[in-house]
mmCIF file of all heavy atoms in Angstrom:
data_model
loop_
_atom_site.group_PDB
_atom_site.id
_atom_site.type_symbol
_atom_site.label_atom_id
_atom_site.label_comp_id
_atom_site.label_asym_id
_atom_site.label_seq_id
_atom_site.Cartn_x
_atom_site.Cartn_y
_atom_site.Cartn_z
ATOM 1 N N VAL F 138 -10.221 5.732 3.679
ATOM 2 C CA VAL F 138 -9.157 5.698 2.680
ATOM 3 C C VAL F 138 -7.918 6.332 3.303
ATOM 4 O O VAL F 138 -7.972 7.449 3.822
ATOM 5 C CB VAL F 138 -9.558 6.457 1.399
ATOM 6 C CG1 VAL F 138 -8.395 6.501 0.412
ATOM 7 C CG2 VAL F 138 -10.782 5.810 0.757
ATOM 8 N N ALA F 147 -13.641 8.795 1.240
ATOM 9 C CA ALA F 147 -13.221 9.358 -0.048
ATOM 10 C C ALA F 147 -13.692 8.485 -1.188
ATOM 11 O O ALA F 147 -13.989 7.291 -1.025
ATOM 12 C CB ALA F 147 -11.702 9.505 -0.102
ATOM 13 N N PRO F 287 28.917 -15.752 -3.706
ATOM 14 C CA PRO F 287 29.846 -15.591 -2.587
ATOM 15 C C PRO F 287 29.776 -14.199 -1.971
ATOM 16 O O PRO F 287 29.345 -13.229 -2.597
ATOM 17 C CB PRO F 287 31.209 -15.851 -3.224
ATOM 18 C CG PRO F 287 31.021 -15.558 -4.673
ATOM 19 C CD PRO F 287 29.605 -15.917 -4.994
ATOM 20 N N ASP F 350 30.861 2.839 8.553
ATOM 21 C CA ASP F 350 32.179 3.447 8.306
ATOM 22 C C ASP F 350 32.476 3.551 6.811
ATOM 23 O O ASP F 350 32.962 4.585 6.329
ATOM 24 C CB ASP F 350 33.270 2.620 8.988
ATOM 25 C CG ASP F 350 33.237 2.720 10.500
ATOM 26 O OD1 ASP F 350 32.590 3.653 11.023
ATOM 27 O OD2 ASP F 350 33.835 1.851 11.165
ATOM 28 N N LEU F 364 16.919 -6.311 9.535
ATOM 29 C CA LEU F 364 17.515 -6.061 10.835
ATOM 30 C C LEU F 364 16.844 -6.920 11.898
ATOM 31 O O LEU F 364 15.623 -6.909 12.065
ATOM 32 C CB LEU F 364 17.377 -4.587 11.217
ATOM 33 C CG LEU F 364 17.999 -4.232 12.571
ATOM 34 C CD1 LEU F 364 19.520 -4.292 12.503
ATOM 35 C CD2 LEU F 364 17.536 -2.860 13.036
ATOM 36 N N GLY F 402 13.262 -28.132 16.992
ATOM 37 C CA GLY F 402 13.008 -28.890 15.772
ATOM 38 C C GLY F 402 12.099 -28.194 14.776
ATOM 39 O O GLY F 402 11.928 -28.683 13.659
ATOM 40 N N LEU F 421 12.809 -3.310 18.677
ATOM 41 C CA LEU F 421 12.605 -3.126 17.242
ATOM 42 C C LEU F 421 11.352 -2.302 16.976
ATOM 43 O O LEU F 421 11.342 -1.417 16.100
ATOM 44 C CB LEU F 421 12.507 -4.483 16.540
ATOM 45 C CG LEU F 421 13.795 -5.302 16.418
ATOM 46 C CD1 LEU F 421 13.499 -6.652 15.773
ATOM 47 C CD2 LEU F 421 14.855 -4.563 15.614
ATOM 48 N N THR F 446 14.804 -29.684 7.482
ATOM 49 C CA THR F 446 15.057 -30.808 8.381
ATOM 50 C C THR F 446 14.953 -30.334 9.834
ATOM 51 O O THR F 446 15.045 -29.138 10.109
ATOM 52 C CB THR F 446 16.455 -31.380 8.138
ATOM 53 O OG1 THR F 446 17.425 -30.403 8.547
ATOM 54 C CG2 THR F 446 16.665 -31.719 6.669
ATOM 55 N N PRO F 464 -1.530 -8.921 7.531
ATOM 56 C CA PRO F 464 -2.262 -9.246 8.761
ATOM 57 C C PRO F 464 -1.347 -9.527 9.951
ATOM 58 O O PRO F 464 -1.706 -9.200 11.090
ATOM 59 C CB PRO F 464 -3.096 -10.477 8.383
ATOM 60 C CG PRO F 464 -2.476 -11.011 7.144
ATOM 61 C CD PRO F 464 -1.868 -9.853 6.444
ATOM 62 N N ARG F 504 -0.346 8.863 -8.985
ATOM 63 C CA ARG F 504 0.256 7.563 -8.668
ATOM 64 C C ARG F 504 -0.535 6.446 -9.353
ATOM 65 O O ARG F 504 -1.685 6.637 -9.759
ATOM 66 C CB ARG F 504 0.267 7.320 -7.159
ATOM 67 C CG ARG F 504 0.974 8.386 -6.336
ATOM 68 C CD ARG F 504 2.473 8.358 -6.529
ATOM 69 N NE ARG F 504 3.138 9.335 -5.665
ATOM 70 C CZ ARG F 504 3.740 9.056 -4.521
ATOM 71 N NH1 ARG F 504 3.791 7.810 -4.080
ATOM 72 N NH2 ARG F 504 4.313 10.014 -3.814
#
Side-chain angles (χ1 to χ4, degrees):
V138 176
D350 290 344
L364 181 70
L421 288 177
T446 67
R504 303 289 184 100

